[in-house]
Amino acid sequence: MINIEPIEAFSDNYIWLVTTNEGSIVIDPGESTNLLKILNQRSLNLKAVLITHHHFDHTGGIDKILSEKSIDVYGPNNNIDSINIRVNNESKINLLGIEFKIIEIPGHTLDHIAYYSENNGHPILFCGDTLFAGGCGRVFEGTFEQMHDSLSILKKLPINTKIYCGHEYTESNLKFAKSVEPLNQRIISRYNEVIELRKQGIPSLPSTIELELETNPFLRVGLKEVQQEISKKFNTSNNDKDIFTAMRQWKDNF
Ligand SMILES: [Zn+2]
């Protein structure tokens, strides 16, 4: 059995805690206070830290964790010194009996990676700030083309893949999605569902690749209805990358 739970951090971050009968791992601990409290209260045995990219709200808790536990920190090649095991596209890591494949997905940052596991037919993906529920991360360091390519890799994962991303942005993402595709009933109903969940303080995650393919405009740039809307509004070509770029820039100012 695998248990995956969110630990809320800052205003809208999620730190993901994964536990099996072999222990626990944590993904992107931007801070450590709540995490350490939970580990102690429940006597969980933390085995490793996994990092998706260098941003402080995903890494700021590492040093405090390491001051209490001597464990490995996995992550991409970047400026975070406390990462002691560097991983890349070729890497496979086995933790808690789960085999994770590393997928390089630059765009939001240049170092950004995701952790994917087939998990015996119940695939899971930890994708930091690249693919969000209903949207995608801002392009800070890479190019729009890189971000589009990275999302194109993720969208080919099995449709039942559960998506655990780094922020609770779903409501505002879907508000934007409704503007891109005003007639998409699936987006409208998902938006209403998410508003209800958030009213009750329930996370809108995990999502799935299937749900994102239906409702995330950044995974739908190849579709006629999306192309028409964007190319008309911004006078771009129908090329997927141009549509993606115009859409991402629109979202930046939305
Ligand atoms: Zn980030």
Side-chain angles (χ1 to χ4, degrees), residues 53 55 57-58 108-109 129 167:
H53 66 295
H55 281 161
D57 61 324
H58 296 252
H108 176 69
T109 60
D129 291 353
H167 289 270

Side-chain angles (χ1 to χ4, degrees), residues 228-238 242-243 246:
Q228 278 166 2
E229 193 72 25
I230 297 289
S231 60
K232 194 175 66 194
K233 196 172 168 75
F234 298 101
N235 201 19
T236 63
S237 82
N238 273 343
D242 290 343
I243 300 287

Side-chain angles (χ1 to χ4, degrees), residues 1-9 13-21 23-29 31 34-46 96 98 100 119 124-126 162-168 201-206:
M1 263 311 280
I2 174 169
N3 182 45
I4 304 177
E5 61 195 298
I7 299 170
E8 291 180 21
N13 279 74
Y14 287 127
I15 297 166
W16 293 103
L17 180 64
V18 179
T19 303
T20 73
N21 56 8
S24 299
I25 57 173
V26 67
I27 293 102
D28 283 355
E31 61 176 15
N34 286 339
L35 169 71
L36 291 169
K37 209 183 289 169
I38 290 169
L39 294 175
N40 289 333
Q41 276 169 358
R42 289 166 37 194
S43 305
L44 295 173
N45 181 9
L46 190 69
L96 313 178
I98 307 163
F100 289 99
N119 189 30
I124 51 177
L125 175 74
F126 297 94
K162 285 195 176 157
I163 302 167
Y164 299 87
C165 53
H167 289 270
E168 178 62 63
I202 300 171
S204 64
L205 302 171

Side-chain angles (χ1 to χ4, degrees), residues 24-193:
S24 299
I25 57 173
V26 67
I27 293 102
D28 283 355
E31 61 176 15
S32 60
T33 313
N34 286 339
L35 169 71
L36 291 169
K37 209 183 289 169
I38 290 169
L39 294 175
N40 289 333
Q41 276 169 358
R42 289 166 37 194
S43 305
L44 295 173
N45 181 9
L46 190 69
K47 295 281 186 75
V49 174
L50 274 56
I51 298 297
T52 62
H53 66 295
H54 67 84
H55 281 161
F56 183 76
D57 61 324
H58 296 252
T59 56
I62 302 174
D63 289 346
K64 182 84 201 318
I65 295 169
L66 291 181
S67 74
E68 296 195 14
K69 299 170 191 299
S70 61
I71 54 175
D72 288 326
V73 182
Y74 295 80
N77 207 359
N78 59 19
N79 60 343
I80 305 294
D81 293 335
S82 44
I83 294 173
N84 66 314
I85 300 180
R86 305 284 172 176
V87 292
N88 60 34
N89 251 349
E90 313 297 317
S91 310
K92 281 190 177 147
I93 57 179
N94 207 306
L95 291 164
L96 313 178
I98 307 163
E99 185 176 75
F100 289 99
K101 203 179 115 183
I102 285 46
I103 308 173
E104 290 177 5
I105 45 171
H108 176 69
T109 60
L110 288 174
D111 67 330
H112 208 305
I113 58 172
Y115 297 87
Y116 170 74
S117 175
E118 288 177 2
N119 189 30
N120 300 320
H122 303 283
I124 51 177
L125 175 74
F126 297 94
C127 54
D129 291 353
T130 298
L131 174 62
F132 286 127
C136 73
R138 275 179 192 260
V139 177
F140 284 124
E141 295 176 4
T143 62
F144 290 102
E145 188 168 348
Q146 277 178 320
M147 189 61 154
H148 175 260
D149 290 344
S150 294
L151 292 172
S152 301
I153 294 169
L154 298 182
K155 83 182 209 184
K156 290 194 197 99
L157 292 172
I159 59 168
N160 63 336
T161 303
K162 285 195 176 157
I163 302 167
Y164 299 87
C165 53
H167 289 270
E168 178 62 63
Y169 288 158
T170 319
E171 187 176 326
S172 61
N173 284 339
L174 291 172
K175 196 172 170 195
F176 174 74
K178 284 200 304 169
S179 297
V180 179
E181 290 186 80
L183 301 177
N184 183 326
Q185 291 306 313
R186 193 65 195 91
I187 291 176
I188 295 165
S189 62
R190 187 182 186 195
Y191 177 68
N192 294 331
E193 286 161 21

